[in-house]
């Protein structure tokens, strides 16, 4: 087929989210505005020998509410999370796959991935091998492990036969998958895309691995306040889990079926740090380039941005580097716009972070409210922007941006605008 020379407009028509502070987009948003922390002592395993004994786990989630036991056993928790968030998003969008022709389903892409993938099944099957040898390895081991399998499950569930894969870029995964769907929709390759990320890394090797990197907070006596982006006493991020899915459509397709439109996706930016496998460039050069690329792609000026949902992980180096990059890109406007880190409440969802935070960003546009950065007490002279500390702020939001950066120097920035028909 011939692709369009003029890019199509792309809009968001559905959202699905499982987060440590809510198992739907509505519950997630309400608890963001309420400043609720999802951090608590880990319940999944005995933490006696771990430096970090808390995380942001899902609460009250039962996969059997959405699938039968046979299907559940074929999936690592990250894939369960992703499929359930996709079901939420499709329902929210008003799409009815059962009434779609196969030709229509052939133009629906599924681009959902994970930064780590099936780390829990990896741990279980490695233990089985060590204990009883290779004959005890499950035939579902590899299909449950690979990060792209969540896209496969969603595609099979709905019989969507469009492009089906994922980008894997650590904590930038969700944004990269959103970006890929955006570009395919712009070019006219597809009509609809389910995009996002899912993660379930709260496990012995997940916590132990990040502890070995000295990346996690060890504030075991105060888990609720441990994620404190931009606070002088921050000591690392809090590991979270969950999934976020966006339904993206061409504006033409959405209008034709009378869809409700949450916001318009207007631009994306990507870059590499080319610096270090885990540490950010100290001057934020890669993040700066990603945000500049986003502004150029969206054809907007720095002063057009009202709100920025920052990557803001609560690490000593990362928060400073991102602050420097914001100042470099936005200049004096960086002191006028609103910023916040919702990771102060959800913890860091790794490969799901970008998509979940995109949902928070879209909700901010829809409601003209900036969600807060909670747990701030101690000022840091190197973090001196308006991070919306401790309380949400009501203000007009026409354009909002969400950043997501990942180990390996992966940088992504996506821009959304309040939808208007013009």
């Amino acid at each position: 087929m011939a692709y369009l020379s003029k890019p199509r407009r792309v809009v968001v028509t559905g959202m699905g989210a499982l987060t440590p502070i809510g198992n739907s987009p509505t519950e997630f948003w309400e608890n963001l505005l309420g400043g609720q922390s999802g951090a608590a002592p880990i319940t999944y395993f005995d933490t006696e020998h771990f430096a970090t004994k808390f995380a942001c786990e899902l609460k009250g989630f039962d996969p059997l509410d959405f699938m039968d036991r046979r299907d559940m056993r074929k999936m690592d928790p990250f894939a369960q999370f992703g499929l359930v968030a996709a079901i939420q998003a499709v329902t929210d969008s008003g799409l009815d796959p059962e009434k779609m022709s196969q030709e229509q389903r052939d133009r629906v892409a599924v681009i959902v991935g994970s930064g780590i993938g099936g780390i829990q099944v990896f741990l279980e099957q490695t233990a089985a091998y060590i204990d009883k040898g290779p004959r005890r390895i499950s035939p579902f081991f590899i299909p449950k492990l690979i990060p792209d399998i969540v896209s496969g499950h969603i595609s099979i569930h709905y019989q969507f036969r469009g492009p089906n894969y994922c980008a894997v870029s650590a904590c930038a995964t969700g944004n990269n998958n959103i970006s890929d769907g955006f570009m395919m929709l712009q070019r006219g390759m597809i009509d609809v895309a389910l995009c996002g990320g899912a993660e379930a890394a709260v496990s012995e090797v997940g916590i132990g691995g990040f502890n070995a990197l000295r990346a996690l907070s060890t504030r075991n006596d105060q888990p609720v306040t441990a994620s404190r982006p931009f606070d002088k006493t921050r000591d690392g991020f809090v590991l979270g889990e969950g999934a976020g899915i966006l339904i993206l459509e061409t504006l033409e397709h959405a209008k034709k079926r009378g869809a409700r439109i949450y916001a318009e996706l207007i631009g994306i930016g990507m870059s590499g740090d080319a610096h270090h496998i885990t540490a950010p460039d100290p001057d934020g050069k890669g993040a700066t380039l990603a945000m500049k690329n986003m502004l150029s792609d969206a054809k907007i000026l720095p002063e057009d941005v009202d709100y920025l949902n920052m990557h803001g992980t609560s690490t000593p180096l990362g928060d400073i580097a991102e602050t420097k990059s914001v100042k470099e890109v936005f200049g004096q406007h960086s002191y006028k716009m609103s910023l916040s880190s919702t990771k102060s409440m959800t913890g860091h969802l790794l490969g799901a972070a970008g998509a979940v935070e995109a949902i928070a960003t879209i909700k901010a546009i829809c409601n003209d409210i900036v969600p807060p950065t909670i747990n701030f007490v101690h000022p840091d002279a190197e973090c001196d922007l308006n991070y919306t500390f401790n309380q949400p702020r009501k203000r007009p939001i026409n354009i909002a941006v969400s950043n997501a950066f990942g180990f390996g120097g992966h940088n992504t920035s996506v821009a959304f605008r309040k939808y208007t028909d013009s």
Side-chain angles (χ1 to χ4, degrees), residues 8-24:
R8 292 180 174 183
R9 291 173 67 183
V10 176
V11 294
V12 181
T13 60
M15 298 183 286
L18 293 177
T19 80
I21 58 170
N23 292 334
S24 71

PDB file of all heavy atoms in Angstrom, residues 8-24:
ATOM      1  N   ARG A   8      -0.934  11.861   9.325  1.00  0.00           N
ATOM      2  CA  ARG A   8      -2.254  11.905   9.929  1.00  0.00           C
ATOM      3  C   ARG A   8      -2.165  12.362  11.375  1.00  0.00           C
ATOM      4  O   ARG A   8      -1.173  12.108  12.061  1.00  0.00           O
ATOM      5  CB  ARG A   8      -2.898  10.526   9.869  1.00  0.00           C
ATOM      6  CG  ARG A   8      -3.263  10.045   8.475  1.00  0.00           C
ATOM      7  CD  ARG A   8      -3.891   8.673   8.530  1.00  0.00           C
ATOM      8  NE  ARG A   8      -4.373   8.242   7.230  1.00  0.00           N
ATOM      9  CZ  ARG A   8      -5.023   7.109   7.009  1.00  0.00           C
ATOM     10  NH1 ARG A   8      -5.264   6.279   8.027  1.00  0.00           N
ATOM     11  NH2 ARG A   8      -5.433   6.784   5.810  1.00  0.00           N
ATOM     12  N   ARG A   9      -3.215  13.005  11.871  1.00  0.00           N
ATOM     13  CA  ARG A   9      -3.283  13.357  13.288  1.00  0.00           C
ATOM     14  C   ARG A   9      -3.602  12.101  14.094  1.00  0.00           C
ATOM     15  O   ARG A   9      -4.354  11.223  13.646  1.00  0.00           O
ATOM     16  CB  ARG A   9      -4.341  14.429  13.514  1.00  0.00           C
ATOM     17  CG  ARG A   9      -3.962  15.771  12.925  1.00  0.00           C
ATOM     18  CD  ARG A   9      -5.111  16.765  13.015  1.00  0.00           C
ATOM     19  NE  ARG A   9      -5.421  17.137  14.394  1.00  0.00           N
ATOM     20  CZ  ARG A   9      -6.433  17.956  14.723  1.00  0.00           C
ATOM     21  NH1 ARG A   9      -7.233  18.443  13.768  1.00  0.00           N
ATOM     22  NH2 ARG A   9      -6.663  18.261  15.994  1.00  0.00           N
ATOM     23  N   VAL A  10      -3.044  12.026  15.288  1.00  0.00           N
ATOM     24  CA  VAL A  10      -3.177  10.843  16.141  1.00  0.00           C
ATOM     25  C   VAL A  10      -3.770  11.258  17.475  1.00  0.00           C
ATOM     26  O   VAL A  10      -3.295  12.206  18.114  1.00  0.00           O
ATOM     27  CB  VAL A  10      -1.812  10.158  16.352  1.00  0.00           C
ATOM     28  CG1 VAL A  10      -1.938   8.975  17.312  1.00  0.00           C
ATOM     29  CG2 VAL A  10      -1.237   9.695  15.014  1.00  0.00           C
ATOM     30  N   VAL A  11      -4.802  10.536  17.917  1.00  0.00           N
ATOM     31  CA  VAL A  11      -5.483  10.879  19.160  1.00  0.00           C
ATOM     32  C   VAL A  11      -5.535   9.672  20.094  1.00  0.00           C
ATOM     33  O   VAL A  11      -5.398   8.522  19.677  1.00  0.00           O
ATOM     34  CB  VAL A  11      -6.913  11.405  18.891  1.00  0.00           C
ATOM     35  CG1 VAL A  11      -6.866  12.737  18.155  1.00  0.00           C
ATOM     36  CG2 VAL A  11      -7.735  10.377  18.103  1.00  0.00           C
ATOM     37  N   VAL A  12      -5.748   9.960  21.368  1.00  0.00           N
ATOM     38  CA  VAL A  12      -5.884   8.932  22.405  1.00  0.00           C
ATOM     39  C   VAL A  12      -7.365   8.748  22.693  1.00  0.00           C
ATOM     40  O   VAL A  12      -8.054   9.701  23.063  1.00  0.00           O
ATOM     41  CB  VAL A  12      -5.147   9.340  23.696  1.00  0.00           C
ATOM     42  CG1 VAL A  12      -5.287   8.250  24.759  1.00  0.00           C
ATOM     43  CG2 VAL A  12      -3.677   9.629  23.415  1.00  0.00           C
ATOM     44  N   THR A  13      -7.843   7.506  22.528  1.00  0.00           N
ATOM     45  CA  THR A  13      -9.271   7.246  22.733  1.00  0.00           C
ATOM     46  C   THR A  13      -9.569   6.239  23.842  1.00  0.00           C
ATOM     47  O   THR A  13     -10.732   6.010  24.178  1.00  0.00           O
ATOM     48  CB  THR A  13      -9.907   6.730  21.431  1.00  0.00           C
ATOM     49  OG1 THR A  13      -9.249   5.515  21.031  1.00  0.00           O
ATOM     50  CG2 THR A  13      -9.790   7.765  20.320  1.00  0.00           C
ATOM     51  N   GLY A  14      -8.528   5.630  24.409  1.00  0.00           N
ATOM     52  CA  GLY A  14      -8.748   4.667  25.485  1.00  0.00           C
ATOM     53  C   GLY A  14      -7.520   4.521  26.348  1.00  0.00           C
ATOM     54  O   GLY A  14      -6.385   4.708  25.876  1.00  0.00           O
ATOM     55  N   MET A  15      -7.733   4.179  27.615  1.00  0.00           N
ATOM     56  CA  MET A  15      -6.614   4.009  28.544  1.00  0.00           C
ATOM     57  C   MET A  15      -6.908   2.853  29.496  1.00  0.00           C
ATOM     58  O   MET A  15      -8.054   2.647  29.900  1.00  0.00           O
ATOM     59  CB  MET A  15      -6.378   5.294  29.349  1.00  0.00           C
ATOM     60  CG  MET A  15      -6.002   6.495  28.502  1.00  0.00           C
ATOM     61  SD  MET A  15      -5.628   7.986  29.468  1.00  0.00           S
ATOM     62  CE  MET A  15      -7.291   8.467  29.988  1.00  0.00           C
ATOM     63  N   GLY A  16      -5.873   2.124  29.848  1.00  0.00           N
ATOM     64  CA  GLY A  16      -5.972   1.063  30.843  1.00  0.00           C
ATOM     65  C   GLY A  16      -4.765   1.101  31.747  1.00  0.00           C
ATOM     66  O   GLY A  16      -3.646   1.340  31.274  1.00  0.00           O
ATOM     67  N   ALA A  17      -4.965   0.890  33.033  1.00  0.00           N
ATOM     68  CA  ALA A  17      -3.843   0.986  33.964  1.00  0.00           C
ATOM     69  C   ALA A  17      -4.031   0.096  35.182  1.00  0.00           C
ATOM     70  O   ALA A  17      -5.110   0.059  35.780  1.00  0.00           O
ATOM     71  CB  ALA A  17      -3.657   2.436  34.441  1.00  0.00           C
ATOM     72  N   LEU A  18      -2.973  -0.622  35.516  1.00  0.00           N
ATOM     73  CA  LEU A  18      -2.835  -1.299  36.808  1.00  0.00           C
ATOM     74  C   LEU A  18      -1.619  -0.676  37.480  1.00  0.00           C
ATOM     75  O   LEU A  18      -0.514  -0.713  36.934  1.00  0.00           O
ATOM     76  CB  LEU A  18      -2.605  -2.796  36.623  1.00  0.00           C
ATOM     77  CG  LEU A  18      -3.750  -3.623  36.044  1.00  0.00           C
ATOM     78  CD1 LEU A  18      -3.301  -5.074  35.862  1.00  0.00           C
ATOM     79  CD2 LEU A  18      -4.974  -3.570  36.943  1.00  0.00           C
ATOM     80  N   THR A  19      -1.804  -0.075  38.636  1.00  0.00           N
ATOM     81  CA  THR A  19      -0.712   0.620  39.315  1.00  0.00           C
ATOM     82  C   THR A  19      -0.737   0.300  40.807  1.00  0.00           C
ATOM     83  O   THR A  19      -1.751  -0.174  41.334  1.00  0.00           O
ATOM     84  CB  THR A  19      -0.831   2.145  39.137  1.00  0.00           C
ATOM     85  OG1 THR A  19      -1.792   2.674  40.069  1.00  0.00           O
ATOM     86  CG2 THR A  19      -1.250   2.511  37.722  1.00  0.00           C
ATOM     87  N   PRO A  20       0.357   0.597  41.504  1.00  0.00           N
ATOM     88  CA  PRO A  20       0.382   0.362  42.951  1.00  0.00           C
ATOM     89  C   PRO A  20      -0.588   1.233  43.740  1.00  0.00           C
ATOM     90  O   PRO A  20      -0.806   0.989  44.931  1.00  0.00           O
ATOM     91  CB  PRO A  20       1.834   0.686  43.323  1.00  0.00           C
ATOM     92  CG  PRO A  20       2.610   0.455  42.056  1.00  0.00           C
ATOM     93  CD  PRO A  20       1.691   0.934  40.974  1.00  0.00           C
ATOM     94  N   ILE A  21      -1.183   2.242  43.073  1.00  0.00           N
ATOM     95  CA  ILE A  21      -2.140   3.085  43.799  1.00  0.00           C
ATOM     96  C   ILE A  21      -3.512   3.083  43.113  1.00  0.00           C
ATOM     97  O   ILE A  21      -4.308   3.997  43.317  1.00  0.00           O
ATOM     98  CB  ILE A  21      -1.631   4.528  43.966  1.00  0.00           C
ATOM     99  CG1 ILE A  21      -1.345   5.188  42.618  1.00  0.00           C
ATOM    100  CG2 ILE A  21      -0.395   4.550  44.855  1.00  0.00           C
ATOM    101  CD1 ILE A  21      -1.069   6.684  42.730  1.00  0.00           C
ATOM    102  N   GLY A  22      -3.782   2.052  42.324  1.00  0.00           N
ATOM    103  CA  GLY A  22      -5.098   1.967  41.701  1.00  0.00           C
ATOM    104  C   GLY A  22      -5.117   1.020  40.530  1.00  0.00           C
ATOM    105  O   GLY A  22      -4.191   1.037  39.711  1.00  0.00           O
ATOM    106  N   ASN A  23      -6.156   0.198  40.444  1.00  0.00           N
ATOM    107  CA  ASN A  23      -6.248  -0.814  39.400  1.00  0.00           C
ATOM    108  C   ASN A  23      -7.165  -0.413  38.247  1.00  0.00           C
ATOM    109  O   ASN A  23      -7.765  -1.259  37.588  1.00  0.00           O
ATOM    110  CB  ASN A  23      -6.704  -2.143  40.011  1.00  0.00           C
ATOM    111  CG  ASN A  23      -5.642  -2.725  40.917  1.00  0.00           C
ATOM    112  OD1 ASN A  23      -4.456  -2.459  40.765  1.00  0.00           O
ATOM    113  ND2 ASN A  23      -6.064  -3.531  41.880  1.00  0.00           N
ATOM    114  N   SER A  24      -7.250   0.872  38.003  1.00  0.00           N
ATOM    115  CA  SER A  24      -7.938   1.426  36.841  1.00  0.00           C
ATOM    116  C   SER A  24      -7.420   2.848  36.664  1.00  0.00           C
ATOM    117  O   SER A  24      -6.902   3.445  37.622  1.00  0.00           O
ATOM    118  CB  SER A  24      -9.453   1.448  37.046  1.00  0.00           C
ATOM    119  OG  SER A  24      -9.800   2.427  38.015  1.00  0.00           O
TER     120      SER A  24
END
